[in-house]
Amino acid sequence: MGRPAGPMARIVLAQDLAARLPEAKVLMPGDPVPPNGAASVHVSMQEFMPDGAGSVALQADWFVTAPQAGGLLAQGRFSRALPCGKSPAAQAREMSGLLAHLADTIARGLLSRAGGSL
């Protein structure tokens, strides 16, 4: 069973999504939701830690919902591992890179569902 992304991962993922989708479309964690509602991105992480062998993996299920648009907008699974070495700086850099890849995947899922524009 997965767990929600931690606070830092949520912020980094939101920033990555904002860079990939029109700026006005992405709220940062903690921002107020507009009165007309907003879509929500949900990420459940099964794995997101460096290992002792010098790699880091991210395995997650994700889905985007928008009740005002009829419910589920997009969903998917993400699994990728990258070599990172054993230094904390290298591990943090590759963990950030994995979140960027996840943001790419979510943005592609949304854009394909929306016909290329949101």
Side-chain angles (χ1 to χ4, degrees):
M1 182 168 204
R3 62 190 182 285
M8 181 58 75
R10 285 194 303 270
I11 291 167
V12 171
L13 184 58
Q15 290 171 340
D16 287 344
L17 284 169
R20 288 153 178 80
L21 298 169
E23 204 169 300
K25 303 283 187 189
V26 178
L27 300 173
M28 293 296 117
D31 284 354
V33 176
N36 60 344
S40 297
V41 176
H42 306 269
V43 177
S44 177
M45 295 183 174
Q46 287 75 44
E47 180 180 5
F48 188 42
M49 290 297 291
D51 64 19
S55 66
V56 63
L58 173 56
Q59 292 182 6
D61 296 319
W62 61 271
F63 61 96
V64 181
T65 59
Q68 69 278 18
L72 185 67
L73 294 180
Q75 65 181 346
R77 288 197 167 148
F78 179 87
S79 180
R80 185 169 293 177
L82 296 172
C84 66
K86 295 185 180 181
S87 79
Q91 292 171 345
R93 183 177 50 252
E94 294 308 325
M95 290 176 82
S96 179
L98 285 170
L99 289 172
H101 289 299
L102 175 59
D104 288 339
T105 300
I106 294 170
R108 273 194 309 273
L110 284 169
L111 290 171
S112 70
R113 172 88 185 239
S117 64
L118 290 175

